[in-house]
Amino acid sequence: MDDDSAEIELLEQNLNKTHQISQRMTSILTNFDTRLVKLEKSILPLYNSTQKLKQRAHNIDRALLKIDEVASSQDGIAVEEGLILRGPQLGQLDAYIDILERLNAAIAFKSSDADSRDMARLFETGAKKLSQLYTKLVAEGSSGSPPVSGLAFMLTEFPPSLMSSLTPLVTFLRTLPLPSTHPSHPAASAILNTLKDAQRGYADMRGNWSRKALEMHSRRVVDRAETLDGVAAGKEFSVWIDSLLKVTETEYILFAELAPLSSNTLIASTYDTLLTPLLTLFTDTLSSLTSLIKRSLHKYTFHALSAFSALSMSQSRWESVLARRGREGNELRDGLNAIRGVCLRSFPELLADLKLAAVGKGGNDLSVSLADITISTVQYLNRIPDVQDAVGSALSALGDGNWRMGDGKQVGKTAKSNSVDVNEKVLIQHFVYDVMNTLIGSLTTLSRTQRRPPFGSVFLLNNISHLVSHLVLRPTNPNTPSLLSKPTTDFLTSSWRTAKAGYFDANFSPLMQALADDTRDKTSGSGWKAATKEKFTRFYDLLEEVGERHRMAKVLDEDPEERSAVGEEVVKLVVPSLQRFMQKQKEREFSKNPQKYIKLSPEEVESRIRNFYN
């Protein structure tokens, strides 16, 4: 028992010692943990600073590596210098561009000014070599003779094979250092001058090429103008202007794509250089046409009007082209003003020519054919609808009635409107009225100058019938009647009736007078019989004379329907009078042998008269 107690006591003592040791260890660990926390707080700023130093060290290592790469590339510049001086080779453009890009990068890292200047000169040489290649490719696309497709103009596309070579070249040229983008680059100014020269050369070559493409068609327009109808010639001129504008627009798009210097100012000034040959060609072509027209304005009136119409229609497109050039000059406007002046002269000169035609003799006294002024005037009026806009605009500029050259006559307006189109149409109607009035006045004067009035009456009838037929009833241009106002048509109708009455009077009044009663018919004895016999004799002699005259002078030869109608009127005029006269004299028994004096029966006279108009 005592032994157990002793062991227990011993154990308790050991346990107490162990507890004390644990207490001491716990205290030591707690103190150690506190010190670790303090140590961590002291080391953390140092750790952070060390990380930043490591990052900087890494960046420095990378920069040194890059510098080493650039420095090592300089060792090969001496070798690449020969490649640069030789210039870009076919199929090796990308390699040449890579060399220049490395050289340009080396210039930025060179600390020595002497080295930078040497490399800048080499880089400038490379840029010039590329500019020369650019000029060479453009020259290839602008050389030779433009293709010809018959008489029509064919717009030629820039060769696609050359475009595939030019596109990457132009892309690189646009990245070259210039004073505006790299003011400190030693080669920037020289490169700018080089690119300006290349761009100017492009404009010269493409401008001359475009002129060459259009020049043959320009000569054709001028040469054919002498033989073509005025309206047709004007249409050809209009097509040529359209082709010229298409060329200028196409060239602008191409130039904007291929210009090494793409600033708006430089493109505008260089495009002006490109257009100069084309504008010179336009001016020369218009001058040639104007000279031709002025040589004989009467003959080439519609050339002038058609040219005026063509220029007017192209004015808005032309101005859009000029807007890209950045200059105030407008060659089309100048040409339009010049040709307008010629058109304004044509109207009073036409009336003057019609008046002049009545001066002196009308030609052959036996001629009843259409007068030249009649044919030309009908042709003139039937062509007006084809250039009506030009005629209306020119007459509006001239002023209502001013085409009469100050003779003081005025034509009352048939319509009033605020519409420019309607007003111009009214002006045309006024002008047409004056043309008809002057023409018919001259025709009437010509008919009276013939020494044999019957032939003069047929001449007037034929000419006025032609006017009515080809302007009112059966015009060659369906729009011509719209140009004839009511006063004009009334005047034509009245002139036709007057001419027909004059024809009847000059040719058939003597026949009717031969059958007329006179005082001798009322006398007794044989006097009235002799007078009756004389009347019959004179009637048939005059009938024979009228027949001979109509065989020589065809009445209304170009209008069978109207000729037959006139014949019918003559029959109704002559035959009933003959029948009455014949019946009256037979009842009075003017002769024992009436058939001796009555050579033809009324039926035979009617047949004879109808034959006049077959």
Side-chain angles (χ1 to χ4, degrees), residues 88-94 97 130 133-138 140-141 158-173 257-258:
Q89 302 299 306
L90 186 64
Q92 298 179 359
L93 178 61
D94 292 339
I97 290 175
L130 288 178
L133 175 62
Y134 170 84
T135 301
K136 177 185 175 183
L137 293 175
V138 173
E140 288 181 13
F158 195 85
S161 59
L162 296 177
M163 281 293 295
S164 62
S165 301
L166 275 169
T167 300
L169 175 58
V170 171
T171 301
F172 178 71
L173 291 176
E257 187 175 351
L258 296 181

Side-chain angles (χ1 to χ4, degrees), residues 238-392:
S238 177
V239 170
W240 183 80
I241 294 177
D242 181 69
S243 299
L244 184 144
L245 290 174
K246 285 180 180 177
V247 169
T248 59
E249 292 166 346
T250 302
E251 287 297 328
Y252 180 82
I253 294 172
L254 181 66
F255 178 56
E257 187 175 351
L258 296 181
L261 299 169
S262 56
S263 70
N264 293 334
T265 303
L266 289 173
I267 283 185
S269 62
T270 312
Y271 184 59
D272 182 54
T273 302
L274 188 153
L275 286 182
T276 298
L278 294 174
L279 297 179
T280 302
L281 177 62
F282 168 79
T283 302
D284 292 344
T285 303
L286 184 58
S287 296
S288 298
L289 285 175
T290 305
S291 298
L292 173 68
I293 292 167
K294 288 182 177 179
R295 193 188 312 162
S296 178
L297 182 55
H298 173 74
K299 180 179 179 181
Y300 297 115
T301 296
F302 279 88
H303 290 69
L305 292 169
S306 296
F308 180 74
S309 178
L311 294 172
S312 299
M313 289 188 296
S314 302
Q315 193 167 10
S316 59
R317 282 183 64 193
W318 188 282
E319 289 174 353
S320 69
V321 171
L322 292 179
R324 297 169 178 165
R325 298 168 55 204
R327 57 178 282 189
E328 296 180 359
N330 189 325
E331 288 77 3
L332 185 139
R333 184 177 60 234
D334 297 339
L336 189 63
N337 291 333
I339 205 72
R340 180 190 285 114
V342 176
C343 292
L344 296 185
R345 278 180 45 207
S346 70
F347 303 117
E349 288 193 14
L350 172 65
L351 294 177
D353 289 341
L354 293 178
K355 290 178 181 178
L356 188 62
V359 177
K361 290 191 175 181
N364 186 353
D365 281 343
L366 301 181
S367 174
V368 296
S369 59
L370 297 178
D372 291 339
I373 56 173
T374 300
I375 297 173
S376 63
T377 302
V378 168
Q379 293 173 345
Y380 181 98
L381 295 178
N382 275 310
R383 289 175 186 167
I384 285 181
D386 296 327
V387 287
Q388 185 168 336
D389 291 342
V391 174

Side-chain angles (χ1 to χ4, degrees), residues 80 84 94-107 122-130 172-173 176:
E80 293 178 342
I84 293 175
D94 292 339
Y96 194 85
I97 290 175
D98 289 340
I99 294 173
L100 290 181
E101 287 178 338
R102 289 197 299 271
L103 182 61
N104 193 36
I107 293 174
L122 186 58
F123 184 74
E124 177 189 339
T125 301
K128 287 182 178 179
K129 294 291 184 182
L130 288 178
F172 178 71
L173 291 176
L176 292 176

Side-chain angles (χ1 to χ4, degrees), residues 370-567:
L370 297 178
D372 291 339
I373 56 173
T374 300
I375 297 173
S376 63
T377 302
V378 168
Q379 293 173 345
Y380 181 98
L381 295 178
N382 275 310
R383 289 175 186 167
I384 285 181
D386 296 327
V387 287
Q388 185 168 336
D389 291 342
V391 174
S393 177
L395 290 176
S396 179
L398 185 61
D400 192 3
N402 290 334
W403 51 78
R404 295 192 216 92
M405 299 181 70
D407 62 5
K409 295 180 181 178
Q410 294 292 328
V411 179
K413 292 188 176 181
T414 59
K416 293 183 179 179
S417 173
N418 293 326
S419 168
V420 173
D421 292 337
V422 172
N423 284 340
E424 289 184 352
K425 185 174 181 180
V426 170
L427 286 176
I428 295 175
Q429 291 176 345
H430 291 175
F431 174 69
V432 171
Y433 177 90
D434 286 339
V435 169
M436 287 291 96
N437 190 35
T438 305
L439 173 62
I440 292 177
S442 294
L443 291 173
T444 302
T445 301
L446 287 173
S447 69
R448 291 170 180 169
T449 60
Q450 296 195 8
R451 289 191 293 269
R452 300 179 66 177
F455 285 93
S457 68
V458 175
F459 167 82
L460 185 61
L461 183 69
N462 286 343
N463 280 269
I464 293 183
S465 173
H466 183 81
L467 294 176
V468 174
S469 176
H470 289 77
L471 295 177
V472 181
L473 302 179
R474 293 178 292 277
T476 55
N477 190 323
N479 296 317
T480 301
S482 66
L483 305 181
L484 306 178
S485 63
K486 188 176 185 303
T488 305
T489 55
D490 290 346
F491 178 67
L492 277 172
T493 303
S494 173
S495 299
W496 162 248
R497 288 197 298 264
T498 302
K500 189 162 58 172
Y503 164 74
F504 290 153
D505 183 66
N507 288 275
F508 297 100
S509 288
L511 283 175
M512 304 304 295
Q513 291 172 1
L515 300 177
D517 293 335
D518 57 28
T519 55
R520 287 182 297 175
D521 292 340
K522 301 178 182 180
T523 61
S524 60
S526 61
W528 70 271
K529 293 182 179 181
T532 301
K533 294 174 183 178
E534 182 182 347
K535 285 179 180 290
F536 276 116
T537 301
R538 179 167 176 74
F539 175 83
Y540 290 111
D541 289 343
L542 289 172
L543 183 64
E544 185 63 30
E545 181 181 331
V546 171
E548 182 64 26
R549 186 185 306 140
H550 279 73
R551 282 190 289 272
M552 297 171 60
K554 292 295 184 180
V555 177
L556 305 176
D557 195 34
E558 64 172 16
D559 192 344
E561 183 179 346
E562 190 60 39
R563 182 171 65 250
S564 176
V566 169

